[in-house]
Amino acid sequence: METIPKSGYYYANKISRLALRALEEVMGKNGVNAILNLAGLPHLIDNYPPDNLERAFDFADFSSINQALEEMYGPRGGRGLALRSGRAVFAQGLRNFGALAGVGDLAFKVLPLQAKLRIGLPAMAKIFSQTSDQYTTVAEKDTHFLYTIHRCPVCWGRSNLDKPVCHMATGVIQEALKWVSGGGEFRVSEIRCMAMGDPTCDFIIPKEPIS
Ligand SMILES: [Zn+2]
């Protein structure tokens, strides 16, 4: 697998640790070990980043892990695992950040759905912008929200792809929406990806859930 040069941009250790634990939940310990070997990161086996907010996990390493998933399981299989892992990342830990932001309080729970999304999505974007070099914004459009990652750890350093690949981010957003909305499933689609040459990684979030 091609090595991705270090980026100098970082995720907080905590988020990377959550991602590795989430992968472990989805594919088992041996599966993660194989992925880390393939990604050229064997030093992380049994040595996950510590549970703190220090920005020390290079985007290139995060991207390599995602690339290795595809490499090992194929685009379809890798996508499924990345989506599930993304959901687990949110469920296992990012949710706690949301709780700090007031999402999940009783006063929040009684808001109408659109108000929940209007508050909850930017709150999540802010968590990433504040704890990492993943600058993220949300814009409200007529029929959907546009969730934009301006510097993306999931596809960092990859290019010439013909399909979006930031599935782990999609999974995180899906699970966040479920939590914010009180159980709704949303069809989140990545429509632009820096790995395809686009300027940003963009996700469309419909204003209404599928179920
Ligand atoms: Zn991306």
Side-chain angles (χ1 to χ4, degrees):
M1 210 178 81
E2 227 173 294
T3 319
I4 300 172
K6 298 290 187 228
S7 69
Y9 293 118
Y10 300 95
Y11 249 167
N13 281 332
K14 192 185 187 75
I15 295 181
S16 315
R17 181 185 178 85
L18 277 170
L20 288 165
R21 307 255 323 223
L23 281 169
E24 211 176 289
E25 186 181 302
V26 168
M27 62 175 51
K29 183 104 180 58
N30 291 332
V32 176
N33 292 353
I35 288 292
L36 288 172
N37 273 321
L38 185 59
L41 303 166
H43 57 279
L44 289 174
I45 294 175
D46 294 320
N47 183 34
Y48 291 173
D51 191 7
N52 62 35
L53 287 173
E54 194 190 332
R55 295 184 188 199
F57 200 88
D58 197 288
F59 279 12
D61 294 346
F62 202 83
S63 178
S64 296
I65 290 170
N66 280 274
Q67 188 179 8
L69 271 178
E70 270 175 56
E71 197 93 0
M72 188 166 283
Y73 296 94
R76 266 185 77 91
R79 176 174 179 273
L81 291 168
L83 282 172
R84 282 167 58 197
S85 305
R87 297 191 80 128
V89 165
F90 185 84
Q92 283 180 3
L94 279 184
R95 204 161 65 172
N96 301 330
F97 286 100
L100 292 179
V103 176
D105 290 356
L106 184 60
F108 186 86
K109 287 197 180 107
V110 297
L111 290 173
L113 175 64
Q114 293 313 313
K116 284 180 176 157
L117 297 178
R118 224 167 265 144
I119 297 168
L121 281 169
M124 186 172 69
K126 209 166 136 192
I127 291 167
F128 282 110
S129 296
Q130 285 181 342
T131 63
S132 76
D133 293 324
Q134 176 191 319
Y135 174 50
T136 307
T137 56
V138 178
E140 184 173 358
K141 307 289 179 187
D142 283 348
T143 57
H144 61 270
F145 290 90
L146 187 65
Y147 184 99
T148 298
I149 301 180
H150 299 261
R151 203 184 280 135
C152 182
V154 189
C155 66
W156 182 268
R158 300 183 65 188
S159 56
N160 297 320
L161 301 183
D162 58 1
K163 284 197 182 71
V165 288
C166 308
H167 311 306
M168 202 179 271
T170 304
V172 169
I173 298 168
Q174 280 177 333
E175 191 66 19
L177 286 162
K178 187 171 185 175
W179 188 60
V180 163
S181 68
E185 279 297 332
F186 288 75
R187 183 169 286 132
V188 177
S189 11
E190 186 177 13
I191 53 158
R192 278 181 284 273
C193 180
M194 283 181 257
M196 296 166 64
D198 293 316
T200 48
C201 294
D202 288 351
F203 302 81
I204 294 271
I205 298 165
K207 289 191 172 177
E208 297 294 334
I210 325 165
S211 61

